[in-house]
Amino acid sequence: MNVHPPDTRCRRLALLVMPILALAVFPAGGALAARAQAGTANSIADSLPGGTLFQPAAQDQLPQTGKSYGAVWADIDGDGRQDFLIGYHGRRTGLYRVDGGLSFSRLDSCLYLPCRGFDQHGLAACDFDVDGFWDLYVSVGADRGRGAGPNQLWQPSPEGRYRDTLPADSPLQDPAGRGRGAVWMLMDGDRYPELVVLNFRTPTRLFRFDGQAWSDSSAVLPRLIRQWTENTGIYRDGVRWFATSVVGDWDNDGYEDILLAGESLMLLRNDRSGSLTDATAASGLEIQGILVAQALSGDLDNDGDLDLLLVYNSLGGLRTWLNESAGDSLRFRPGPILRQLVPDSEPQSAALGDFDNDGLLDLYVVLVDRKGIKVPNLLARGLGDGDFRDVSAEWGGRGAGNSLPCGVWPVDADRDGDLDLMLVGGQGDFPQRRGLCRFYANSAVGKGVTLTLENRDLSPHGMGARVELFSHLGTQTRQVHSVSNYHNSTVLPLHFGLADECGPWRGVVTWRDGSRQEFTLPRSGAAYLVRAGTEEAEELP
């Protein structure tokens, strides 16, 4: 358990005793954006040991070579902490336990997971049956669409070892699909999330679980996604395919929507009846002539709703799209074009997170150059208006080694309230290249908190909940949903940066059924569990 002595540098706040609904006292984004635009903490690296925000850590405890399709986080050993899993081509899954602090231990994956190697193309982690144990959907390659690559669903047995539970005739196997991961989302009113399976040049699929059995609900997807030739199962020329996605409740109606991306974009609005409606044409999003490597969602301008950031790898560059949705319409307006941040590089994937704990979302982008050679990654500081400033030199953590990059996960590995970074490589046919996994510890002077939510009556991991945290920085808003990175997805704890404030703070959870619950956080620099029906958050060891 981490021991945190009192921090005499932070500003003591009076407990916010006014009604939570008096949001005018804490205007969304105002104080935060002003702080960023004024340049407060622009030179935080000057006061850090070693001079950079991110410092290398635990490198000798993590795999350094191999060919992979990225990695994911899920609690496999049942100790209450999310473990690190990396899926290999032709090798069994790598499994690493976070021991507390910034230490990892390699576990014998044969004691926990199916003990054989195969062509893994992404892991989707979620307790889909809401039994308190994490499950894993495993995407498998299909010999470029010419063979069979049945996907798998790993669930723990009573003795704790995971096994594939899909029968031979299960639609979830999707044997002809060229797997590129999957994502869990809440489509209807029950507590079980649906599964969207993504494929390269083969159909996107949608599956439902009713608490007892699975069914194929791909028919509710717009026809453009489902259209494919019957004789080969391959998309016709000119019909779009999707290999990445992002989930979010962009219209704040309590139902999750989804953006599918790859060869093009398709924005699907949840119509609250178990179906998805194509909302792309009226959304304002640019959809023609682009190839999207990653789609991200977060409150980039701190106005209380989720915006989009699209990472293009065909033209290169990045662009923010600011949310203007109202009523039954999903609508975004163009935000800043961030091409100048990556002028000579091809983005591969990206992640959002408040790395410096100033209350604003920052950006990490994984890069290669125009020839596909690894180059240093980008770190950009959020300015609170949808724009970002390059701080790569000051913040560090840009990746080492020459393993071609796959993705990046911001995680609070040591539960000290700030986001560390796990970089994952192994892309392509170069398993001998070093630098497969690189971990960086966060040395931010300001602190934050991470929150795990629990309300199993409504959903696993608190999915679908909306959390507002109030401080003198302003109001920060986060949503609990499945997060994707390079063909892998999981549900991570929420993170809030709180700079130099000490607290205590009040927050409010709006659960997916619309009920509201207030809670209190006594201090920063910690991780908490917020359970349904409890006012005081539980600090996690």
Side-chain angles (χ1 to χ4, degrees), residues 243-278:
T244 188
S245 65
V246 61
V247 172
D249 179 10
W250 293 297
D251 52 4
N252 292 318
D253 66 351
Y255 288 80
E256 292 184 333
D257 313 300
I258 186 168
L259 176 74
L260 300 173
E263 189 180 45
S264 186
L265 290 178
M266 181 169 281
L267 180 64
L268 302 176
R269 182 179 181 272
N270 192 331
D271 67 5
R272 307 177 217 176
S273 66
S275 294
L276 297 169
T277 301
D278 186 356

PDB file of all heavy atoms in Angstrom, residues 243-278:
ATOM      1  N   ALA A 243     -11.996  -0.665 -38.860  1.00  0.00           N
ATOM      2  CA  ALA A 243     -11.076  -1.438 -38.043  1.00  0.00           C
ATOM      3  C   ALA A 243     -10.719  -0.743 -36.730  1.00  0.00           C
ATOM      4  O   ALA A 243      -9.846  -1.206 -36.014  1.00  0.00           O
ATOM      5  CB  ALA A 243      -9.799  -1.736 -38.835  1.00  0.00           C
ATOM      6  N   THR A 244     -11.382   0.360 -36.420  1.00  0.00           N
ATOM      7  CA  THR A 244     -11.208   1.011 -35.126  1.00  0.00           C
ATOM      8  C   THR A 244     -12.519   1.695 -34.764  1.00  0.00           C
ATOM      9  O   THR A 244     -13.380   1.909 -35.629  1.00  0.00           O
ATOM     10  CB  THR A 244     -10.047   2.016 -35.139  1.00  0.00           C
ATOM     11  OG1 THR A 244      -9.802   2.481 -33.809  1.00  0.00           O
ATOM     12  CG2 THR A 244     -10.342   3.199 -36.048  1.00  0.00           C
ATOM     13  N   SER A 245     -12.687   2.016 -33.514  1.00  0.00           N
ATOM     14  CA  SER A 245     -13.967   2.587 -33.072  1.00  0.00           C
ATOM     15  C   SER A 245     -13.763   3.385 -31.798  1.00  0.00           C
ATOM     16  O   SER A 245     -12.745   3.252 -31.107  1.00  0.00           O
ATOM     17  CB  SER A 245     -14.997   1.475 -32.831  1.00  0.00           C
ATOM     18  OG  SER A 245     -14.573   0.661 -31.743  1.00  0.00           O
ATOM     19  N   VAL A 246     -14.754   4.197 -31.482  1.00  0.00           N
ATOM     20  CA  VAL A 246     -14.793   4.886 -30.196  1.00  0.00           C
ATOM     21  C   VAL A 246     -16.253   4.963 -29.769  1.00  0.00           C
ATOM     22  O   VAL A 246     -17.146   5.189 -30.585  1.00  0.00           O
ATOM     23  CB  VAL A 246     -14.146   6.283 -30.280  1.00  0.00           C
ATOM     24  CG1 VAL A 246     -14.869   7.187 -31.261  1.00  0.00           C
ATOM     25  CG2 VAL A 246     -14.091   6.937 -28.899  1.00  0.00           C
ATOM     26  N   VAL A 247     -16.496   4.739 -28.487  1.00  0.00           N
ATOM     27  CA  VAL A 247     -17.840   4.735 -27.906  1.00  0.00           C
ATOM     28  C   VAL A 247     -18.000   5.954 -27.009  1.00  0.00           C
ATOM     29  O   VAL A 247     -17.064   6.346 -26.293  1.00  0.00           O
ATOM     30  CB  VAL A 247     -18.064   3.441 -27.097  1.00  0.00           C
ATOM     31  CG1 VAL A 247     -19.377   3.502 -26.329  1.00  0.00           C
ATOM     32  CG2 VAL A 247     -18.044   2.233 -28.015  1.00  0.00           C
ATOM     33  N   GLY A 248     -19.172   6.563 -27.027  1.00  0.00           N
ATOM     34  CA  GLY A 248     -19.458   7.678 -26.126  1.00  0.00           C
ATOM     35  C   GLY A 248     -20.907   8.096 -26.229  1.00  0.00           C
ATOM     36  O   GLY A 248     -21.552   7.909 -27.263  1.00  0.00           O
ATOM     37  N   ASP A 249     -21.412   8.686 -25.168  1.00  0.00           N
ATOM     38  CA  ASP A 249     -22.774   9.232 -25.185  1.00  0.00           C
ATOM     39  C   ASP A 249     -22.667  10.704 -25.560  1.00  0.00           C
ATOM     40  O   ASP A 249     -22.657  11.591 -24.711  1.00  0.00           O
ATOM     41  CB  ASP A 249     -23.418   9.052 -23.809  1.00  0.00           C
ATOM     42  CG  ASP A 249     -24.828   9.609 -23.748  1.00  0.00           C
ATOM     43  OD1 ASP A 249     -25.384   9.959 -24.817  1.00  0.00           O
ATOM     44  OD2 ASP A 249     -25.376   9.708 -22.633  1.00  0.00           O
ATOM     45  N   TRP A 250     -22.601  10.978 -26.870  1.00  0.00           N
ATOM     46  CA  TRP A 250     -22.327  12.339 -27.330  1.00  0.00           C
ATOM     47  C   TRP A 250     -23.529  13.274 -27.215  1.00  0.00           C
ATOM     48  O   TRP A 250     -23.353  14.489 -27.184  1.00  0.00           O
ATOM     49  CB  TRP A 250     -21.793  12.294 -28.764  1.00  0.00           C
ATOM     50  CG  TRP A 250     -20.454  11.659 -28.840  1.00  0.00           C
ATOM     51  CD1 TRP A 250     -19.297  12.117 -28.264  1.00  0.00           C
ATOM     52  CD2 TRP A 250     -20.103  10.427 -29.470  1.00  0.00           C
ATOM     53  NE1 TRP A 250     -18.252  11.254 -28.511  1.00  0.00           N
ATOM     54  CE2 TRP A 250     -18.722  10.202 -29.256  1.00  0.00           C
ATOM     55  CE3 TRP A 250     -20.816   9.483 -30.219  1.00  0.00           C
ATOM     56  CZ2 TRP A 250     -18.048   9.091 -29.750  1.00  0.00           C
ATOM     57  CZ3 TRP A 250     -20.148   8.378 -30.704  1.00  0.00           C
ATOM     58  CH2 TRP A 250     -18.782   8.186 -30.470  1.00  0.00           C
ATOM     59  N   ASP A 251     -24.735  12.734 -27.166  1.00  0.00           N
ATOM     60  CA  ASP A 251     -25.904  13.597 -26.996  1.00  0.00           C
ATOM     61  C   ASP A 251     -26.435  13.583 -25.563  1.00  0.00           C
ATOM     62  O   ASP A 251     -27.491  14.155 -25.282  1.00  0.00           O
ATOM     63  CB  ASP A 251     -27.021  13.219 -27.975  1.00  0.00           C
ATOM     64  CG  ASP A 251     -27.374  11.732 -27.918  1.00  0.00           C
ATOM     65  OD1 ASP A 251     -26.806  11.019 -27.056  1.00  0.00           O
ATOM     66  OD2 ASP A 251     -28.196  11.288 -28.728  1.00  0.00           O
ATOM     67  N   ASN A 252     -25.704  12.918 -24.662  1.00  0.00           N
ATOM     68  CA  ASN A 252     -26.045  12.924 -23.229  1.00  0.00           C
ATOM     69  C   ASN A 252     -27.481  12.481 -22.950  1.00  0.00           C
ATOM     70  O   ASN A 252     -28.163  13.027 -22.082  1.00  0.00           O
ATOM     71  CB  ASN A 252     -25.806  14.315 -22.624  1.00  0.00           C
ATOM     72  CG  ASN A 252     -24.336  14.690 -22.561  1.00  0.00           C
ATOM     73  OD1 ASN A 252     -23.495  13.865 -22.213  1.00  0.00           O
ATOM     74  ND2 ASN A 252     -24.019  15.918 -22.917  1.00  0.00           N
ATOM     75  N   ASP A 253     -27.936  11.450 -23.678  1.00  0.00           N
ATOM     76  CA  ASP A 253     -29.287  10.937 -23.444  1.00  0.00           C
ATOM     77  C   ASP A 253     -29.286   9.665 -22.609  1.00  0.00           C
ATOM     78  O   ASP A 253     -30.328   9.053 -22.413  1.00  0.00           O
ATOM     79  CB  ASP A 253     -30.005  10.701 -24.776  1.00  0.00           C
ATOM     80  CG  ASP A 253     -29.362   9.584 -25.602  1.00  0.00           C
ATOM     81  OD1 ASP A 253     -28.267   9.101 -25.223  1.00  0.00           O
ATOM     82  OD2 ASP A 253     -29.958   9.202 -26.633  1.00  0.00           O
ATOM     83  N   GLY A 254     -28.088   9.259 -22.116  1.00  0.00           N
ATOM     84  CA  GLY A 254     -27.992   8.063 -21.290  1.00  0.00           C
ATOM     85  C   GLY A 254     -27.762   6.794 -22.064  1.00  0.00           C
ATOM     86  O   GLY A 254     -27.665   5.720 -21.457  1.00  0.00           O
ATOM     87  N   TYR A 255     -27.639   6.888 -23.404  1.00  0.00           N
ATOM     88  CA  TYR A 255     -27.408   5.711 -24.243  1.00  0.00           C
ATOM     89  C   TYR A 255     -26.131   5.920 -25.057  1.00  0.00           C
ATOM     90  O   TYR A 255     -25.931   6.997 -25.642  1.00  0.00           O
ATOM     91  CB  TYR A 255     -28.589   5.458 -25.182  1.00  0.00           C
ATOM     92  CG  TYR A 255     -29.828   4.945 -24.475  1.00  0.00           C
ATOM     93  CD1 TYR A 255     -30.673   5.832 -23.801  1.00  0.00           C
ATOM     94  CD2 TYR A 255     -30.138   3.599 -24.477  1.00  0.00           C
ATOM     95  CE1 TYR A 255     -31.806   5.374 -23.152  1.00  0.00           C
ATOM     96  CE2 TYR A 255     -31.273   3.132 -23.826  1.00  0.00           C
ATOM     97  CZ  TYR A 255     -32.098   4.017 -23.161  1.00  0.00           C
ATOM     98  OH  TYR A 255     -33.219   3.557 -22.510  1.00  0.00           O
ATOM     99  N   GLU A 256     -25.295   4.894 -25.109  1.00  0.00           N
ATOM    100  CA  GLU A 256     -24.017   5.031 -25.790  1.00  0.00           C
ATOM    101  C   GLU A 256     -24.178   4.976 -27.309  1.00  0.00           C
ATOM    102  O   GLU A 256     -24.900   4.136 -27.845  1.00  0.00           O
ATOM    103  CB  GLU A 256     -23.047   3.932 -25.335  1.00  0.00           C
ATOM    104  CG  GLU A 256     -22.614   4.099 -23.887  1.00  0.00           C
ATOM    105  CD  GLU A 256     -21.579   3.079 -23.464  1.00  0.00           C
ATOM    106  OE1 GLU A 256     -21.557   1.976 -24.039  1.00  0.00           O
ATOM    107  OE2 GLU A 256     -20.789   3.390 -22.563  1.00  0.00           O
ATOM    108  N   ASP A 257     -23.481   5.879 -27.992  1.00  0.00           N
ATOM    109  CA  ASP A 257     -23.382   5.899 -29.441  1.00  0.00           C
ATOM    110  C   ASP A 257     -22.001   5.366 -29.822  1.00  0.00           C
ATOM    111  O   ASP A 257     -21.146   5.126 -28.964  1.00  0.00           O
ATOM    112  CB  ASP A 257     -23.566   7.329 -29.954  1.00  0.00           C
ATOM    113  CG  ASP A 257     -24.767   8.028 -29.307  1.00  0.00           C
ATOM    114  OD1 ASP A 257     -25.881   7.516 -29.475  1.00  0.00           O
ATOM    115  OD2 ASP A 257     -24.563   9.054 -28.634  1.00  0.00           O
ATOM    116  N   ILE A 258     -21.758   5.187 -31.140  1.00  0.00           N
ATOM    117  CA  ILE A 258     -20.478   4.646 -31.563  1.00  0.00           C
ATOM    118  C   ILE A 258     -20.050   5.274 -32.887  1.00  0.00           C
ATOM    119  O   ILE A 258     -20.880   5.513 -33.773  1.00  0.00           O
ATOM    120  CB  ILE A 258     -20.526   3.100 -31.677  1.00  0.00           C
ATOM    121  CG1 ILE A 258     -19.129   2.530 -31.975  1.00  0.00           C
ATOM    122  CG2 ILE A 258     -21.553   2.640 -32.706  1.00  0.00           C
ATOM    123  CD1 ILE A 258     -19.047   1.010 -31.823  1.00  0.00           C
ATOM    124  N   LEU A 259     -18.755   5.562 -32.988  1.00  0.00           N
ATOM    125  CA  LEU A 259     -18.146   5.999 -34.233  1.00  0.00           C
ATOM    126  C   LEU A 259     -17.255   4.878 -34.740  1.00  0.00           C
ATOM    127  O   LEU A 259     -16.348   4.431 -34.030  1.00  0.00           O
ATOM    128  CB  LEU A 259     -17.319   7.267 -34.021  1.00  0.00           C
ATOM    129  CG  LEU A 259     -16.545   7.766 -35.235  1.00  0.00           C
ATOM    130  CD1 LEU A 259     -17.481   8.413 -36.244  1.00  0.00           C
ATOM    131  CD2 LEU A 259     -15.457   8.751 -34.829  1.00  0.00           C
ATOM    132  N   LEU A 260     -17.523   4.387 -35.948  1.00  0.00           N
ATOM    133  CA  LEU A 260     -16.696   3.375 -36.590  1.00  0.00           C
ATOM    134  C   LEU A 260     -15.763   4.064 -37.573  1.00  0.00           C
ATOM    135  O   LEU A 260     -16.171   4.965 -38.311  1.00  0.00           O
ATOM    136  CB  LEU A 260     -17.564   2.355 -37.319  1.00  0.00           C
ATOM    137  CG  LEU A 260     -18.555   1.568 -36.457  1.00  0.00           C
ATOM    138  CD1 LEU A 260     -19.462   0.708 -37.326  1.00  0.00           C
ATOM    139  CD2 LEU A 260     -17.831   0.710 -35.430  1.00  0.00           C
ATOM    140  N   ALA A 261     -14.525   3.639 -37.605  1.00  0.00           N
ATOM    141  CA  ALA A 261     -13.540   4.301 -38.458  1.00  0.00           C
ATOM    142  C   ALA A 261     -12.593   3.277 -39.056  1.00  0.00           C
ATOM    143  O   ALA A 261     -12.445   2.163 -38.560  1.00  0.00           O
ATOM    144  CB  ALA A 261     -12.759   5.340 -37.659  1.00  0.00           C
ATOM    145  N   GLY A 262     -11.966   3.663 -40.121  1.00  0.00           N
ATOM    146  CA  GLY A 262     -11.024   2.823 -40.857  1.00  0.00           C
ATOM    147  C   GLY A 262     -10.833   3.431 -42.215  1.00  0.00           C
ATOM    148  O   GLY A 262     -10.220   4.484 -42.372  1.00  0.00           O
ATOM    149  N   GLU A 263     -11.377   2.759 -43.236  1.00  0.00           N
ATOM    150  CA  GLU A 263     -11.305   3.296 -44.589  1.00  0.00           C
ATOM    151  C   GLU A 263     -12.107   4.586 -44.706  1.00  0.00           C
ATOM    152  O   GLU A 263     -11.839   5.440 -45.546  1.00  0.00           O
ATOM    153  CB  GLU A 263     -11.829   2.262 -45.572  1.00  0.00           C
ATOM    154  CG  GLU A 263     -11.608   2.618 -47.024  1.00  0.00           C
ATOM    155  CD  GLU A 263     -12.152   1.545 -47.942  1.00  0.00           C
ATOM    156  OE1 GLU A 263     -13.276   1.073 -47.711  1.00  0.00           O
ATOM    157  OE2 GLU A 263     -11.434   1.178 -48.892  1.00  0.00           O
ATOM    158  N   SER A 264     -13.106   4.742 -43.865  1.00  0.00           N
ATOM    159  CA  SER A 264     -13.898   5.961 -43.811  1.00  0.00           C
ATOM    160  C   SER A 264     -14.504   6.050 -42.423  1.00  0.00           C
ATOM    161  O   SER A 264     -14.028   5.386 -41.496  1.00  0.00           O
ATOM    162  CB  SER A 264     -14.980   5.943 -44.900  1.00  0.00           C
ATOM    163  OG  SER A 264     -15.652   7.163 -44.950  1.00  0.00           O
ATOM    164  N   LEU A 265     -15.511   6.870 -42.254  1.00  0.00           N
ATOM    165  CA  LEU A 265     -16.164   7.071 -40.969  1.00  0.00           C
ATOM    166  C   LEU A 265     -17.640   6.753 -41.070  1.00  0.00           C
ATOM    167  O   LEU A 265     -18.270   6.992 -42.099  1.00  0.00           O
ATOM    168  CB  LEU A 265     -16.038   8.530 -40.519  1.00  0.00           C
ATOM    169  CG  LEU A 265     -14.689   9.075 -40.085  1.00  0.00           C
ATOM    170  CD1 LEU A 265     -14.830  10.542 -39.731  1.00  0.00           C
ATOM    171  CD2 LEU A 265     -14.168   8.316 -38.889  1.00  0.00           C
ATOM    172  N   MET A 266     -18.195   6.241 -39.971  1.00  0.00           N
ATOM    173  CA  MET A 266     -19.635   6.137 -39.846  1.00  0.00           C
ATOM    174  C   MET A 266     -20.004   6.392 -38.392  1.00  0.00           C
ATOM    175  O   MET A 266     -19.519   5.704 -37.492  1.00  0.00           O
ATOM    176  CB  MET A 266     -20.158   4.784 -40.311  1.00  0.00           C
ATOM    177  CG  MET A 266     -21.674   4.665 -40.206  1.00  0.00           C
ATOM    178  SD  MET A 266     -22.348   3.219 -41.044  1.00  0.00           S
ATOM    179  CE  MET A 266     -22.334   3.798 -42.740  1.00  0.00           C
ATOM    180  N   LEU A 267     -20.830   7.397 -38.171  1.00  0.00           N
ATOM    181  CA  LEU A 267     -21.291   7.757 -36.840  1.00  0.00           C
ATOM    182  C   LEU A 267     -22.693   7.194 -36.647  1.00  0.00           C
ATOM    183  O   LEU A 267     -23.613   7.509 -37.410  1.00  0.00           O
ATOM    184  CB  LEU A 267     -21.310   9.278 -36.689  1.00  0.00           C
ATOM    185  CG  LEU A 267     -21.777   9.821 -35.338  1.00  0.00           C
ATOM    186  CD1 LEU A 267     -20.839   9.408 -34.217  1.00  0.00           C
ATOM    187  CD2 LEU A 267     -21.891  11.350 -35.392  1.00  0.00           C
ATOM    188  N   LEU A 268     -22.867   6.352 -35.638  1.00  0.00           N
ATOM    189  CA  LEU A 268     -24.129   5.672 -35.394  1.00  0.00           C
ATOM    190  C   LEU A 268     -24.708   6.122 -34.057  1.00  0.00           C
ATOM    191  O   LEU A 268     -24.067   6.000 -33.016  1.00  0.00           O
ATOM    192  CB  LEU A 268     -23.929   4.156 -35.376  1.00  0.00           C
ATOM    193  CG  LEU A 268     -23.327   3.555 -36.659  1.00  0.00           C
ATOM    194  CD1 LEU A 268     -23.094   2.069 -36.489  1.00  0.00           C
ATOM    195  CD2 LEU A 268     -24.228   3.834 -37.849  1.00  0.00           C
ATOM    196  N   ARG A 269     -25.931   6.632 -34.117  1.00  0.00           N
ATOM    197  CA  ARG A 269     -26.621   7.092 -32.913  1.00  0.00           C
ATOM    198  C   ARG A 269     -27.521   5.998 -32.375  1.00  0.00           C
ATOM    199  O   ARG A 269     -28.263   5.357 -33.108  1.00  0.00           O
ATOM    200  CB  ARG A 269     -27.452   8.344 -33.209  1.00  0.00           C
ATOM    201  CG  ARG A 269     -28.160   8.893 -31.981  1.00  0.00           C
ATOM    202  CD  ARG A 269     -28.952  10.144 -32.288  1.00  0.00           C
ATOM    203  NE  ARG A 269     -29.593  10.647 -31.075  1.00  0.00           N
ATOM    204  CZ  ARG A 269     -30.792  10.244 -30.656  1.00  0.00           C
ATOM    205  NH1 ARG A 269     -31.493   9.370 -31.363  1.00  0.00           N
ATOM    206  NH2 ARG A 269     -31.296  10.737 -29.536  1.00  0.00           N
ATOM    207  N   ASN A 270     -27.441   5.788 -31.090  1.00  0.00           N
ATOM    208  CA  ASN A 270     -28.303   4.829 -30.403  1.00  0.00           C
ATOM    209  C   ASN A 270     -29.708   5.423 -30.310  1.00  0.00           C
ATOM    210  O   ASN A 270     -29.905   6.491 -29.723  1.00  0.00           O
ATOM    211  CB  ASN A 270     -27.745   4.559 -29.005  1.00  0.00           C
ATOM    212  CG  ASN A 270     -28.383   3.391 -28.318  1.00  0.00           C
ATOM    213  OD1 ASN A 270     -29.551   3.077 -28.570  1.00  0.00           O
ATOM    214  ND2 ASN A 270     -27.640   2.741 -27.440  1.00  0.00           N
ATOM    215  N   ASP A 271     -30.675   4.729 -30.921  1.00  0.00           N
ATOM    216  CA  ASP A 271     -32.040   5.280 -30.926  1.00  0.00           C
ATOM    217  C   ASP A 271     -32.848   4.859 -29.699  1.00  0.00           C
ATOM    218  O   ASP A 271     -34.063   5.063 -29.639  1.00  0.00           O
ATOM    219  CB  ASP A 271     -32.773   4.899 -32.212  1.00  0.00           C
ATOM    220  CG  ASP A 271     -33.045   3.404 -32.322  1.00  0.00           C
ATOM    221  OD1 ASP A 271     -32.751   2.667 -31.350  1.00  0.00           O
ATOM    222  OD2 ASP A 271     -33.535   2.983 -33.367  1.00  0.00           O
ATOM    223  N   ARG A 272     -32.175   4.242 -28.704  1.00  0.00           N
ATOM    224  CA  ARG A 272     -32.763   3.879 -27.408  1.00  0.00           C
ATOM    225  C   ARG A 272     -33.731   2.702 -27.486  1.00  0.00           C
ATOM    226  O   ARG A 272     -34.400   2.388 -26.514  1.00  0.00           O
ATOM    227  CB  ARG A 272     -33.477   5.075 -26.762  1.00  0.00           C
ATOM    228  CG  ARG A 272     -32.625   6.318 -26.648  1.00  0.00           C
ATOM    229  CD  ARG A 272     -33.418   7.481 -26.079  1.00  0.00           C
ATOM    230  NE  ARG A 272     -33.026   8.729 -26.717  1.00  0.00           N
ATOM    231  CZ  ARG A 272     -33.603   9.894 -26.483  1.00  0.00           C
ATOM    232  NH1 ARG A 272     -34.609   9.979 -25.634  1.00  0.00           N
ATOM    233  NH2 ARG A 272     -33.198  10.978 -27.103  1.00  0.00           N
ATOM    234  N   SER A 273     -33.806   2.058 -28.652  1.00  0.00           N
ATOM    235  CA  SER A 273     -34.692   0.902 -28.782  1.00  0.00           C
ATOM    236  C   SER A 273     -33.908  -0.356 -29.154  1.00  0.00           C
ATOM    237  O   SER A 273     -34.496  -1.352 -29.543  1.00  0.00           O
ATOM    238  CB  SER A 273     -35.748   1.174 -29.860  1.00  0.00           C
ATOM    239  OG  SER A 273     -35.162   1.280 -31.143  1.00  0.00           O
ATOM    240  N   GLY A 274     -32.584  -0.304 -29.044  1.00  0.00           N
ATOM    241  CA  GLY A 274     -31.763  -1.442 -29.409  1.00  0.00           C
ATOM    242  C   GLY A 274     -31.255  -1.402 -30.826  1.00  0.00           C
ATOM    243  O   GLY A 274     -30.674  -2.378 -31.297  1.00  0.00           O
ATOM    244  N   SER A 275     -31.457  -0.286 -31.533  1.00  0.00           N
ATOM    245  CA  SER A 275     -30.986  -0.137 -32.902  1.00  0.00           C
ATOM    246  C   SER A 275     -30.047   1.058 -33.002  1.00  0.00           C
ATOM    247  O   SER A 275     -30.007   1.925 -32.123  1.00  0.00           O
ATOM    248  CB  SER A 275     -32.153   0.045 -33.873  1.00  0.00           C
ATOM    249  OG  SER A 275     -32.952  -1.126 -33.925  1.00  0.00           O
ATOM    250  N   LEU A 276     -29.299   1.088 -34.098  1.00  0.00           N
ATOM    251  CA  LEU A 276     -28.370   2.174 -34.373  1.00  0.00           C
ATOM    252  C   LEU A 276     -28.773   2.866 -35.663  1.00  0.00           C
ATOM    253  O   LEU A 276     -29.060   2.209 -36.663  1.00  0.00           O
ATOM    254  CB  LEU A 276     -26.937   1.641 -34.494  1.00  0.00           C
ATOM    255  CG  LEU A 276     -26.356   0.994 -33.238  1.00  0.00           C
ATOM    256  CD1 LEU A 276     -25.054   0.281 -33.552  1.00  0.00           C
ATOM    257  CD2 LEU A 276     -26.131   2.039 -32.140  1.00  0.00           C
ATOM    258  N   THR A 277     -28.796   4.189 -35.642  1.00  0.00           N
ATOM    259  CA  THR A 277     -29.183   4.984 -36.800  1.00  0.00           C
ATOM    260  C   THR A 277     -27.966   5.700 -37.350  1.00  0.00           C
ATOM    261  O   THR A 277     -27.184   6.292 -36.595  1.00  0.00           O
ATOM    262  CB  THR A 277     -30.250   6.022 -36.405  1.00  0.00           C
ATOM    263  OG1 THR A 277     -31.392   5.338 -35.880  1.00  0.00           O
ATOM    264  CG2 THR A 277     -30.662   6.857 -37.608  1.00  0.00           C
ATOM    265  N   ASP A 278     -27.807   5.652 -38.671  1.00  0.00           N
ATOM    266  CA  ASP A 278     -26.687   6.332 -39.311  1.00  0.00           C
ATOM    267  C   ASP A 278     -26.871   7.851 -39.202  1.00  0.00           C
ATOM    268  O   ASP A 278     -27.788   8.421 -39.794  1.00  0.00           O
ATOM    269  CB  ASP A 278     -26.591   5.904 -40.776  1.00  0.00           C
ATOM    270  CG  ASP A 278     -25.358   6.461 -41.472  1.00  0.00           C
ATOM    271  OD1 ASP A 278     -24.614   7.235 -40.842  1.00  0.00           O
ATOM    272  OD2 ASP A 278     -25.134   6.107 -42.648  1.00  0.00           O
TER     273      ASP A 278
END
